[in-house]
Amino acid sequence: MSHLVRSTAALAGLTIAGIGLAGIQSASASTPPRCHTSNLKITLPGGSAGAGQRYADIYFKNISPKTCRTFGWPGLGLATVHKALSTDTVRIGTAHWVTLKPGQRAYSALRWTVIPTGNENSKGCGPTPTILRVIPPNETTFKAVHWSGQICGHRTINAYPLHFGTDPH
């Protein structure tokens, strides 16, 4: 079963409502703790393009000396050097637990459009973001990564839940 959840994040104070995810379990002696923002290296390598769409993966590498786990979708917020930009994140897919040993990584696939929609026009879709603020699932603090290029569709990003490893595509 696939779930589609829309959440708008204004990011004025970078408090994104809805980042906490359903299904969080309490940790026991045999269950690793959740992955905290400070224990993850977050990267957004260059993406790919196709027919007005753009695709990229966000990678989350466990840089701590201990195993951790995570569940769900990242929180996302676009920004310029001077200000946060309203960002609409559409959560697609079904989340599941991902366990990361030290040095292992997970990814979340992202999709967005560069074709103007609605009241956007061919002259542009608003300010061009240069930063993507990424909040790991079940966390409240972000890490900033470089964002390259325009985004239309009122800055809507389709995000898929975290999966173990690297995207096979």
Side-chain angles (χ1 to χ4, degrees):
M1 174 185 224
S2 184
H3 300 284
L4 177 67
V5 179
R6 291 184 73 87
S7 66
T8 301
L11 291 179
L14 205 60
T15 301
I16 300 180
I19 295 304
L21 301 167
I24 299 172
Q25 301 171 0
S26 61
S28 68
S30 63
T31 303
R34 76 173 195 264
C35 299
H36 295 287
T37 304
S38 62
N39 294 332
L40 296 170
K41 178 181 180 182
I42 301 174
T43 57
L44 180 66
S48 59
Q53 301 294 310
R54 299 295 180 264
Y55 310 91
D57 294 325
I58 302 175
Y59 289 100
F60 300 80
K61 182 178 181 181
N62 181 1
I63 57 172
S64 79
K66 297 184 179 186
T67 298
C68 64
R69 68 187 200 146
T70 186
F71 178 92
W73 297 261
L76 304 171
L78 294 164
T80 65
V81 177
H82 303 290
K83 68 177 183 171
L85 302 171
S86 63
T87 305
D88 189 20
T89 301
V90 179
R91 296 176 180 171
I92 298 175
T94 302
H96 56 276
W97 286 101
V98 175
T99 300
L100 297 175
K101 293 180 180 176
Q104 291 182 325
R105 63 184 183 169
Y107 71 94
S108 174
L110 305 181
R111 310 290 181 258
W112 66 95
T113 185
V114 293
I115 297 174
T117 59
N119 62 355
E120 297 173 328
N121 61 48
S122 60
K123 292 182 182 178
C125 298
T128 299
T130 55
I131 299 165
L132 179 64
R133 295 172 176 173
V134 181
I135 302 175
N138 305 305
E139 289 292 296
T140 57
T141 57
F142 71 87
K143 286 193 176 180
V145 295
H146 176 74
W147 178 272
S148 179
Q150 185 62 266
I151 178 171
C152 295
H154 304 284
R155 289 186 290 280
T156 297
I157 302 173
N158 294 330
Y160 293 80
L162 267 65
H163 290 277
F164 179 79
T166 58
D167 191 346
H169 298 102

